């Protein structure tokens, strides 16, 4: 599609149990953050990185609280795809993984009914080709590391803060694309 935005999608789940990162302290005084047990309270996030030559790179994301279903449904993905089309104001070439929900009948019918959307699938085990994977890494190593979350709302607050910081720094988004080894050239 000429003049389309190249959009990568991925989703991740975050728990109120904090990821561990390295820190420093006085020799012999290892800092310890006590956390009660393993948390079953999870927050799922779907994110889209959007690229187009001579345009600022974009990050669009949607959190989803655990309401019994652990992952996004095809309805959630449909709604997620409508948002960037409206925000970016142009056609979209979507690249994502071969998840069963990505190939659901309802989602395929939705995609086929719109000429502004083309969908391509990454090969299995091609995590290194998706720049959104780098977004999750930045988030986990930065805003979520070494924090003991007291409630799911506290977790969502930190996730949103980190994603907003990344969202407004297109150089970070461009760096995530560069790490994949992929380049975007005008046609």
């Amino acid at each position: 599609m000429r003049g389309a935005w190249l959009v990568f999608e991925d989703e991740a789940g975050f728990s109120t149990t904090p990821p561990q990162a390295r820190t420093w302290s006085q020799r012999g005084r290892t800092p310890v953050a006590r956390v009660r047990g393993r948390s079953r309270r999870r927050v799922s996030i779907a994110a889209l990185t959007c690229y187009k030559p001579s345009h600022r790179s974009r990050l669009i994301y949607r959190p989803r609280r655990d309401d019994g279903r652990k992952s996004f449904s095809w309805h959630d993905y449909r709604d997620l795809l409508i948002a960037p089309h409206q925000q970016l104001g142009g056609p979209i070439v979507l690249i994502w993984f071969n998840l069963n929900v990505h190939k659901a009948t309802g989602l395929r019918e939705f995609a086929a009914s719109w000429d502004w959307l083309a969908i391509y699938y990454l090969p299995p085990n091609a995590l290194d080709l998706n720049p959104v994977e780098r977004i999750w890494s930045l988030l986990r190593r930065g805003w979520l590391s070494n924090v003991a979350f007291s409630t799911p709302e506290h977790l969502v607050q930190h996730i949103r803060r980190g994603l907003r910081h990344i969202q407004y720094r297109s150089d970070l988004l461009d760096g995530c694309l560069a790490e994949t080894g992929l380049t975007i050239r005008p046609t």
Side-chain angles (χ1 to χ4, degrees), residues 50-64:
C50 311
Y51 302 96
K52 186 175 182 180
S54 71
H55 286 76
R56 185 177 61 85
S57 302
R58 308 277 181 91
L59 173 66
I60 299 170
Y61 60 92
R62 296 288 181 269
R64 183 181 180 288

Side-chain angles (χ1 to χ4, degrees), residues 9-12 45-46 69 71-74 77 95-105 107-108 119-125 127 130 133:
E9 188 276 339
D10 193 33
E11 56 283 329
I45 305 278
R69 182 180 172 90
S71 62
F72 285 76
S73 69
W74 76 265
Y77 285 114
I95 301 172
W96 59 7
F97 293 112
N98 285 302
L99 296 177
N100 290 339
V101 69
H102 291 169
K103 294 185 172 186
T105 304
L107 195 55
R108 280 187 291 144
I119 297 178
Y120 294 94
Y121 297 96
L122 287 168
N125 301 320
L127 296 175
N130 193 337
E133 294 292 339

